[in-house]
Amino acid sequence: MRTHLTKSQLKVNDWVRELGFQTEMEKVIGKYCVDIFIPELYWVVEVDGPIGHLKKGDLKRDKYLYLEWGIDNIIHVKNEVGEKEFKEKILESIGMKLEKNETEKRS
């Protein structure tokens, strides 16, 4: 497990909490450690640093989290993302999830 949190990870975690969600930072899920886990939504937020994560590694981890743990929303944000842009992305994702749930209920 990583022990050094970046300023960007801390900033993004604060923004998620400002939206009213609990978070778990550096959460171990199976064989991976994710940057931020949002238990109420069962979502993961990965903050890509200036170099970024390895894309192939991202895909492998994301597939594992979906297939083995049912985590179907993994939000990747750039290190330099702004607060407004990030919060809009989260709220948009929540809206899409709610719409999907409503559609599935009607089917």
Side-chain angles (χ1 to χ4, degrees):
M1 179 178 357
R2 298 166 283 183
T3 56
H4 175 70
L5 300 172
T6 67
K7 288 180 184 179
S8 295
Q9 288 171 319
L10 293 169
K11 175 177 65 174
V12 170
N13 186 66
D14 286 346
W15 294 341
V16 173
R17 292 170 86 60
E18 286 172 11
L19 290 170
F21 298 104
Q22 296 296 314
T23 61
E24 297 178 35
M25 296 193 70
E26 299 292 308
K27 170 79 171 169
V28 176
I29 302 175
K31 60 184 181 180
Y32 291 97
C33 180
V34 299
D35 290 341
I36 301 167
F37 178 65
I38 308 170
E40 296 115 298
L41 301 174
Y42 211 62
W43 287 359
V44 165
V45 178
E46 282 293 319
V47 181
D48 293 338
I51 297 172
H53 295 282
L54 300 172
K55 295 299 176 197
K56 189 174 183 181
D58 282 350
L59 294 174
K60 185 177 177 182
R61 181 205 53 231
D62 293 358
K63 182 177 179 181
Y64 171 84
L65 292 174
Y66 175 69
L67 293 175
E68 299 296 324
W69 293 88
I71 298 173
D72 63 351
N73 199 351
I74 300 165
I75 300 168
H76 293 270
V77 295
K78 298 259 188 248
N79 187 42
E80 67 279 351
V81 69
E83 179 178 3
K84 182 179 179 193
E85 177 186 354
F86 173 76
K87 286 181 176 179
E88 286 173 353
K89 184 174 185 173
I90 289 283
L91 293 172
E92 180 182 325
S93 294
I94 291 169
M96 290 179 356
K97 183 174 179 117
L98 291 174
E99 286 177 21
K100 180 181 174 190
N101 289 346
E102 285 300 314
T103 301
E104 287 173 355
K105 285 180 186 176
R106 285 187 237 129
S107 299

